[in-house]
């Protein structure tokens, strides 16, 4: 699949709603906090439930996916701290830099990319849902502790993570799938409708977030963050996919997920704990802008390599 074909058929349909979202936000000034709450508590749980319920994931594959995600996360965190050490960053800057390269936006960005690349395939989306759950866990454990530098905050982070509706949606969908329990149509229909609405709403939300951010200065740290997140991370993912002998759609989905831009949560954590929030906000914006190019290449490579 040529790169231009990938851009035209996958990236362009994603970039257009993002652009519309940016224009609408400039005109109407949306409340972005409400957008995030709707995505995390309404759209993502419905999508997770529907895709897990419709798919057939073996226990072995789930273990392999989690193993891949854990290894990749550890490698990227180590690279983040290595770069910080070489560059001589302060402790607050090192914490913010590490979060910027290790925490990704696989919910808002990864889900639409997966949906377009795999044409709403339930199996591919189930892999993506697992990635999203892992990212949520990483954000509210490592990300929070790394930003606060207080291990006493781990208990509170785990409690917050346990309140995420997506966890219970996955458990419910898995149990119904395992025991082959059919759902009545009045329940299935609205869940399908909500899940289908996730794509467009997430893209408009991304556009609104980008319109509200400001890129003040292209510092070396911001550029290094984007380099690690968008280029080094997929290279590491490729090596791990080969090591774990993953194949087909699972390998493709994980490779694409590894190249998703920096999570907005990294900037939120930096602001909350005073860890160079200006850098963190710029890292989120620049990685999102550059990902329109890098993701095109990565999606094309995923379809060619696996």
């Amino acid at each position: 699949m040529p790169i231009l074909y990938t851009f035209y058929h996958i990236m362009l349909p994603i970039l257009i709603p993002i652009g519309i979202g940016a224009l609408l936000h400039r005109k109407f000034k949306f409340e972005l906090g409400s957008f995030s709450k709707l995505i995390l508590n309404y759209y993502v749980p419905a999508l997770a439930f529907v895709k897990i319920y419709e798919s057939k994931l073996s226990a072995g594959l789930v273990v392999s996916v989690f193993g891949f995600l854990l290894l990749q996360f550890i490698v990227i965190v180590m690279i983040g701290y290595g770069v910080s050490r070489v560059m001589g960053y302060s402790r607050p800057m090192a914490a913010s830099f590490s979060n910027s390269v290790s925490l990704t936006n696989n919910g808002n960005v990864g889900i639409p990319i997966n949906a377009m690349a795999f044409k709403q395939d339930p199996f591919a989306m189930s892999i993506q849902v697992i990635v999203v759950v892992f990212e949520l866990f990483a954000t509210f454990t490592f990300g929070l502790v790394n930003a606060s530098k207080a291990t006493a905050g781990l208990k509170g982070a785990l409690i917050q993570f346990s309140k995420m509706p997506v966890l219970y949606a996955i458990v419910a969908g898995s149990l119904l799938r395992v025991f082959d329990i059919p759902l009545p149509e009045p329940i299935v229909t609205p869940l399908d409708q909500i899940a289908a609405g996730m794509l467009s709403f997430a893209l408009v939300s991304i556009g609104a977030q980008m319109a509200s951010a400001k890129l003040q200065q292209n510092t070396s740290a911001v550029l290094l963050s984007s380099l690690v997140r968008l280029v080094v991370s997929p290279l590491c993912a490729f090596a791990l996919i080969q090591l774990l002998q993953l194949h087909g759609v699972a390998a493709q989905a994980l490779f694409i997920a590894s190249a998703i831009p920096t999570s907005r949560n990294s900037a939120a954590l930096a602001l909350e704990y005073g860890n160079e929030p200006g850098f963190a906000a710029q890292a989120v914006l620049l990685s999102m802008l550059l990902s329109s190019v890098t993701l095109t290449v990565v999606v094309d490579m995923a379809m060619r390599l696996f």
Side-chain angles (χ1 to χ4, degrees):
M1 184 166 50
I3 289 181
L4 288 178
Y5 179 91
T6 303
F7 179 82
Y8 184 79
H9 289 280
I10 296 176
M11 292 305 301
L12 189 58
I14 288 174
L15 293 174
I16 290 174
I18 289 176
I20 293 173
L23 293 174
L24 289 175
H25 178 69
R26 288 188 178 277
K27 181 175 178 61
F28 299 110
K29 305 299 180 185
F30 297 130
E31 172 51 52
L32 298 184
S34 298
F35 277 22
S36 297
K37 289 182 176 66
L38 271 173
I39 289 173
L40 282 178
N41 297 286
Y42 183 67
Y43 285 106
V44 171
L47 180 72
F49 178 87
V50 169
K51 297 307 178 183
I52 292 293
Y53 181 69
E54 292 177 351
S55 71
K56 295 181 180 179
L57 292 176
S58 66
L61 179 61
V62 173
V63 171
S64 296
V65 170
F66 267 105
F68 166 86
L69 294 172
L70 181 60
L71 287 173
Q72 180 188 236
F73 186 79
I74 291 172
V75 170
I76 296 301
V77 168
M78 291 176 63
I79 290 173
Y81 276 118
V83 171
S84 297
R85 189 179 185 89
V86 170
M87 299 300 293
Y89 294 151
S90 63
R91 289 185 63 183
M93 183 64 182
S96 189
F97 185 88
S98 180
N99 277 353
S100 75
V101 300
S102 60
L103 303 181
T104 69
N105 201 354
N106 257 292
N108 288 11
V109 179
I111 287 175
I113 291 289
N114 182 286
M116 295 298 296
F118 297 100
K119 304 185 187 304
Q120 302 286 351
D121 177 55
F123 179 80
M125 187 56 70
S126 297
I127 299 294
Q128 183 63 30
V129 167
I130 294 174
V131 174
V132 171
V133 172
F134 181 87
E135 292 292 346
L136 287 172
F137 179 78
T139 298
F140 292 108
T141 53
F142 170 83
L144 183 61
V145 172
N146 186 43
S148 65
K149 293 299 181 183
T151 54
L154 180 59
K155 180 179 179 181
L158 290 174
I159 292 174
Q160 186 174 358
F161 175 71
S162 70
K163 294 179 180 178
M164 290 291 171
V166 66
L167 296 178
Y168 304 101
I170 289 175
V171 171
S174 300
L175 290 175
L176 292 174
R177 176 77 270 172
V178 169
F179 294 105
D180 197 21
I181 301 174
L183 286 175
E185 185 176 345
I187 294 179
V188 173
T189 299
L191 286 175
D192 284 338
Q193 292 172 342
I194 297 169
M198 166 72 191
L199 177 60
S200 60
F201 187 82
L203 294 176
V204 169
S205 173
I206 293 168
Q209 292 169 16
M210 291 180 65
S212 66
K214 294 181 180 179
L215 188 59
Q216 299 171 340
Q217 186 178 6
N218 287 328
T219 63
S220 61
V222 174
L223 293 172
L224 279 173
S225 172
S226 293
L227 177 67
V228 174
R229 176 87 298 279
L230 302 176
V231 179
V232 176
S233 178
L235 292 175
C236 294
F238 177 78
L240 290 173
I241 287 170
Q242 300 300 315
L243 178 65
L244 297 175
Q245 297 183 342
L246 297 170
H247 305 284
V249 172
Q252 292 171 341
L254 290 173
F255 186 63
I256 293 170
S258 71
I260 298 300
T262 301
S263 170
R264 193 166 63 92
N265 287 325
S266 66
L269 289 171
L271 181 62
E272 178 71 19
Y273 295 101
N275 294 326
E276 300 291 342
F279 154 79
Q282 292 177 67
V284 172
L285 177 58
L286 185 62
S287 70
M288 185 64 216
L289 293 173
L290 294 178
S291 68
S292 62
V293 176
T294 57
L295 270 172
T296 301
V297 176
V298 168
V299 170
D300 183 72
M301 289 179 63
M303 302 308 174
R304 291 174 180 270
L305 295 173
F306 307 109

